[in-house]
């Protein structure tokens, strides 16, 4: 049996009962493994105990998941005393090092929600923190009184960039995506190409190539019930192709990305 490529999946610092724990929601792991057809290793957010350089050589690609925590605004140059949390400084530090170490080796990095934001900041971009309540924007998060499933039922359209990775992979000009985020891209990071925009113009997907390695990230949650959404499955299929060094998309004879 041929060994499958190995995806690193970042953990968050969470509390289980009264104890700190390294954790990632199973839906991220299962969707990545099932639709990417990859093996996986969970990477703890313990930068004081482990350096990214010690583990990236064992990984074929990196998946940065969503999380309830927000990035510290100081990471993108904003010293805000009352910035909304919760925060996860250990994940902030580990992820920043992982992104750099993976791309230095020319290995793929993909992101979802918080992971999307982490990549944008790693490329020198900034975030905004008003995505749910700004009257000039569409509501990017469901009302606070909905239940957990209701959060993911909150959706909006995104326009896909013609000729982009997602537009070609989905075979579509637009998509309907779930929207579960209070923060999002303000200034896009240098070298990132827009893959999707919300109706209010907010960037919801981007891509890049660094040292031959593909970078692809979305603000929405393709890991949520992917069995019911073909486009969500395709996102992870692209990831699996990237880890195998295959073209991300082959849509016409001789054409590849």
């Amino acid at each position: 049996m041929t060994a499958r490529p190995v995806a690193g999946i970042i953990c968050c610092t969470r509390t289980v009962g009264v104890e700190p724990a390294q954790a990632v929601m199973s839906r991220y792991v299962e969707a990545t493994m099932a639709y990417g057809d990859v093996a996986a290793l969970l990477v703890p957010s313990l930068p004081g105990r482990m350096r990214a350089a010690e583990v990236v050589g064992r990984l074929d690609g990196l998946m940065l998941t969503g999380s309830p925590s927000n990035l510290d605004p100081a990471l993108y140059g904003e010293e805000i005393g009352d910035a909304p949390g919760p925060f996860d400084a250990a994940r902030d530090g580990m992820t920043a090092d992982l992104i750099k170490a993976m791309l230095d080796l020319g290995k793929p990095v993909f992101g979802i929600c918080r992971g999307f934001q982490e990549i944008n900041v790693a490329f020198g971009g900034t975030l905004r923190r008003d995505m749910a309540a700004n009257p000039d924007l569409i509501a990017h998060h469901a009302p606070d009184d909905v239940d957990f499933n209701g959060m993911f039922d909150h959706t909006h359209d995104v326009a896909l960039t013609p000729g982009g990775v997602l537009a070609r992979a989905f075979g579509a000009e637009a998509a309907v995506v779930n929207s579960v985020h209070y923060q999002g891209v303000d200034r896009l990071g240098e070298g990132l190409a827009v893959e999707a925009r919300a109706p209010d113009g907010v960037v919801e997907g981007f891509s890049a190539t660094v040292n031959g390695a593909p970078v692809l990230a979305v603000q929405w949650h393709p890991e949520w019930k992917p069995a019911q959404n073909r486009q969500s499955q395709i996102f992870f299929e692209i990831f699996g192709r990237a880890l195998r060094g295959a073209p991300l998309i082959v849509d016409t004879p001789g054409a590849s990305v």
Side-chain angles (χ1 to χ4, degrees):
M1 180 177 178
T2 302
R4 294 181 298 173
V6 177
I9 302 178
I10 190 67
C11 292
C12 297
T13 306
R14 306 290 286 270
T15 300
V16 177
V18 297
E19 294 187 82
Q22 293 296 304
V24 57
M25 295 304 172
S26 291
R27 66 178 187 268
Y28 292 103
V29 182
E30 292 182 0
T32 299
M33 296 178 74
Y35 298 106
D37 189 22
V38 297
L41 293 175
L42 303 187
V43 181
S45 287
L46 293 170
R49 298 289 184 185
M50 180 179 74
R51 293 177 292 108
E54 294 179 285
V55 295
V56 293
R58 308 180 191 191
L59 306 176
D60 297 299
L62 177 66
M63 178 64 73
L64 302 175
T65 68
S67 173
S69 65
N70 292 328
L71 275 77
D72 185 342
L75 296 173
Y76 47 93
E78 297 186 15
E79 300 291 343
I80 309 277
D82 60 350
F87 300 109
D88 187 344
R91 171 161 170 169
D92 288 345
M94 195 70 203
T95 299
D97 287 346
L98 281 169
I99 293 170
K100 182 180 187 306
M102 290 293 288
L103 294 179
D104 283 349
L105 293 178
K107 296 188 176 187
V109 176
F110 278 45
I112 294 170
C113 197
R114 190 194 209 271
F116 165 90
Q117 297 167 14
E118 288 168 329
I119 295 170
N120 185 58
V121 170
F123 277 70
T126 62
L127 304 178
R128 58 189 301 167
R129 298 172 294 279
D130 60 349
M131 306 300 293
N134 189 322
D136 295 328
L137 304 176
I138 65 171
H140 286 261
H141 197 286
D144 291 339
D145 60 355
V146 304
D147 62 15
F148 184 75
N149 287 320
M151 287 195 307
F152 290 92
D153 289 337
H154 181 71
T155 63
H156 62 71
D157 294 342
V158 293
L160 303 177
T161 300
V165 175
L166 293 179
R168 291 174 59 190
F170 294 171
E173 298 177 351
V176 177
V177 302
N178 51 38
S179 191
V180 191
H181 61 108
Y182 293 103
Q183 301 196 135
V185 167
D186 186 8
R187 185 181 72 246
L188 188 64
E190 185 176 353
L192 297 175
V194 175
E195 288 284 339
R197 286 188 186 272
D200 53 16
V202 170
V203 175
E204 294 261 336
F206 55 65
S207 63
T209 302
V210 180
N211 293 330
V215 176
L216 182 65
V218 295
Q219 180 62 80
W220 62 90
H221 286 266
E223 88 293 345
W224 180 255
K225 298 182 178 179
Q228 301 175 17
N229 189 312
R230 178 60 187 142
Q231 291 178 342
S232 294
Q233 297 171 20
I234 290 171
F235 175 81
F236 295 104
E237 290 174 5
I238 296 171
F239 181 65
R241 293 180 65 83
L243 268 60
R244 290 171 169 82
L248 302 189
I249 306 141
V250 178
D251 49 8
T252 58
S256 63
V257 171

